[in-house]
Amino acid sequence: MTASEKARAKAEQAVGKIARAAGRTTGNTELVAKGDAAEAMGKARENKESLKGTGRR
């Protein structure tokens, strides 16, 4: 996993958590959903990158 991809995945996860928290605080269900989606994308990116290096020796 390259450092830039790892940072991008972590940033997406952080943005998602912040958006979800803001949505819950304000009662904005659309923002909660967008936050959940951003966090899921970050986790998926992180998993994809970790699988890339698994087959290499």
Side-chain angles (χ1 to χ4, degrees), residues 6-55:
K6 184 175 183 179
R8 185 173 175 187
K10 292 295 183 183
E12 283 181 335
Q13 290 175 24
V15 167
K17 287 180 183 182
I18 292 168
R20 186 177 59 211
R24 286 183 179 165
T25 302
T26 61
N28 185 340
T29 56
E30 185 177 335
L31 190 56
V32 172
K34 286 182 180 181
D36 286 340
E39 190 173 357
M41 287 297 294
K43 287 180 181 179
R45 183 182 311 282
E46 187 173 24
N47 289 337
K48 177 190 80 165
E49 290 299 318
S50 67
L51 287 175
K52 275 185 180 179
T54 304

